[in-house]
Amino acid sequence: MAVPLDSTDIQSDNYRLVPHRDFYLISNIHNPEEVDQIQSWKIQDSDVFVVTYPKSGTIWMQQILLLIEAKGDTTIISTKPNSEQVPWIELSGAGKEFIAAPPPRLRVSHLQYKFMPLALNQRKGKVIYVIRNPKDVLVSYFHFHKFAAMLETPKDFNCFFEKFMKGEMYGNCWFEHIKSWYSHKDDVNILFIAYEEMIQDLESAVKRMCMFMDKELTEEQLANVVKHSTFRNMRLIPQANYEFVSEDLLNHNQGSFMRKGTIGDWKNHFTVAQNERFDKVFQEKMEEVPITFIWDINYIV
Ligand code: PPS
């Protein structure tokens, strides 16, 4: 069953949100049966899954993982798109490819914890969960809904704000997503890393990732990873910014995937009333998740 849309929203008939086990999948992109099979995947210790709520820095992590694996050699990021080398596990066909792939299998996902391989729970493999302050996530996702042809084009920011608060979008409710993972932090080999800490000090963030993944890099290799993972440089790399994706999926005339890459753009979008409401919901829902967020770029420069 497809989710009823506001009559004012525009959505392609090819791609519709389809509810599956209290989570929305996208028709013609995800196959519910295949998504359910992910739980039974056999996991190796070298498998690394980057998990994010949409717009939290997935492409950034794909870039960093590839560069760490290649010890800073940039050939890897100029050959094939990041999304082919570090694929999504929830896309149709991903299971077969995962089984056949040689180690290390580096993957990304927007799925909640309940869909993930059960073996993660026996501390097999590794998960890197990227968190980003949800006000900036909301704004980035708003723009992405206009850019991505497979997502419904919002009527306006206010309508999108309401949908985000209700979780009526791919990824569902931001609060539920983070809670689903945070509540299993002691069961899984998991590293929580914040988008804002990567903006603040990318080198330290990459070092933390290397330690977690048992990877040793020389100073020069580390510097190369950092240099080629900055927003400014990634913007220029078609493989890292989805320039290669067809108009059927991304409206390239509506913007670019690498949009602003900063902290605090929500201030240019939220009304005072929206901000107060968001803060109230945030306080209520995040009581058991003691994570501190950076909401403003001025706090770190
Ligand atoms: S998606 O569609 O869910 O896979 O999007 P995702 O890759 O998770 O998030 C896209 C946002 O991340 C920003 N981004 C970066 N910011 C800073 N530095 C680097 N290197 C970087 N790479 C990607 C990207 O610009 C999107 O955020 P916004 O706020 O829209 O600019």
Side-chain angles (χ1 to χ4, degrees):
M1 186 187 74
V3 172
L5 298 166
D6 293 352
S7 56
T8 44
D9 288 331
I10 302 163
Q11 183 162 29
S12 155
D13 281 341
N14 290 335
Y15 307 108
R16 298 210 149 256
L17 289 179
V18 180
H20 178 62
R21 292 170 55 200
D22 289 330
F23 193 79
Y24 290 126
L25 299 175
I26 304 175
S27 59
N28 286 320
I29 291 187
H30 308 120
N31 173 329
E33 284 100 62
E34 284 185 53
V35 167
D36 285 347
Q37 284 163 13
I38 293 173
Q39 284 198 301
S40 59
W41 285 7
K42 292 198 170 53
I43 297 303
Q44 299 170 10
D45 285 335
S46 55
D47 294 336
V48 179
F49 299 89
V50 167
V51 180
T52 56
Y53 186 86
K55 311 321 288 178
S56 300
T58 327
I59 193 83
W60 199 357
M61 277 290 167
Q62 286 168 312
Q63 180 89 348
I64 296 172
L65 283 188
L66 285 170
L67 284 166
I68 290 178
E69 214 40 64
K71 296 194 178 289
D73 182 342
T74 54
T75 318
I76 190 145
I77 51 163
S78 52
T79 48
K80 283 198 266 172
N82 289 10
S83 54
E84 267 182 41
Q85 303 197 73
V86 187
W88 298 90
I89 64 169
E90 55 266 43
L91 293 189
S92 298
K96 269 193 196 148
E97 184 274 338
F98 182 80
I99 291 164
R105 297 181 294 192
L106 310 174
R107 297 294 181 273
V108 287
S109 178
H110 286 322
L111 292 175
Q112 287 182 351
Y113 177 83
K114 65 183 174 196
F115 293 103
M116 294 298 281
L118 292 170
L120 291 177
N121 223 353
Q122 293 144 22
R123 303 187 74 80
K124 290 214 166 111
K126 291 186 165 73
V127 175
I128 300 177
Y129 189 97
V130 190
I131 42 178
R132 183 180 188 186
N133 93 56
K135 293 180 188 175
D136 282 333
V137 167
L138 190 158
V139 167
S140 178
Y141 214 4
F142 167 66
H143 289 285
F144 190 64
H145 271 70
K146 292 191 277 181
F147 180 56
M150 71 277 194
L151 300 175
E152 78 181 9
T153 306
K155 184 181 149 219
D156 54 32
F157 184 74
N158 192 43
C159 286
F160 188 80
F161 182 93
E162 294 304 327
K163 288 200 170 186
F164 187 90
M165 297 311 271
K166 288 190 253 170
E168 287 177 359
M169 52 194 56
Y170 180 53
N172 290 56
C173 171
W174 181 89
F175 298 98
E176 297 311 319
H177 200 283
I178 187 161
K179 280 200 231 171
S180 90
W181 280 96
Y182 192 80
S183 60
H184 290 279
K185 67 178 176 9
D186 298 325
D187 310 325
V188 177
N189 280 328
I190 189 165
L191 173 73
F192 286 90
I193 198 154
Y195 177 96
E196 292 77 15
E197 91 180 75
M198 290 161 69
I199 295 264
Q200 185 169 24
D201 185 349
L202 187 53
E203 183 180 314
S204 299
V206 172
K207 277 186 184 164
R208 272 210 317 134
M209 286 175 65
C210 287
M211 261 179 51
F212 180 67
M213 292 164 63
D214 296 322
K215 299 283 171 193
E216 272 190 37
L217 300 184
T218 64
E219 284 301 311
E220 195 190 346
Q221 291 167 344
L222 177 72
N224 260 347
V225 175
V226 172
K227 179 176 168 199
H228 296 284
S229 306
T230 60
F231 184 78
R232 205 189 313 165
N233 283 338
M234 281 180 61
R235 261 193 131 168
L236 306 174
I237 307 173
Q239 291 83 352
N241 63 31
Y242 286 99
E243 263 177 38
F244 55 89
V245 171
S246 71
E247 293 277 336
D248 175 45
L249 289 171
L250 296 177
N251 299 314
H252 292 287
N253 57 352
Q254 294 288 319
S256 64
F257 189 89
M258 304 290 285
R259 196 184 58 91
K260 281 204 171 168
T262 189
I263 306 170
D265 194 30
W266 63 271
K267 292 187 173 180
N268 300 317
H269 293 75
F270 280 39
T271 62
V272 172
Q274 282 170 337
N275 191 34
E276 285 174 1
R277 185 160 144 232
F278 197 101
D279 284 346
K280 193 164 172 283
V281 174
F282 183 91
Q283 268 180 2
E284 283 164 15
K285 301 228 178 196
M286 293 294 279
E287 223 174 354
E288 324 97 77
V289 187
I291 295 179
T292 310
F293 288 89
I294 296 177
W295 304 95
D296 188 333
I297 189 82
N298 294 318
Y299 289 140
I300 61 169
V301 288

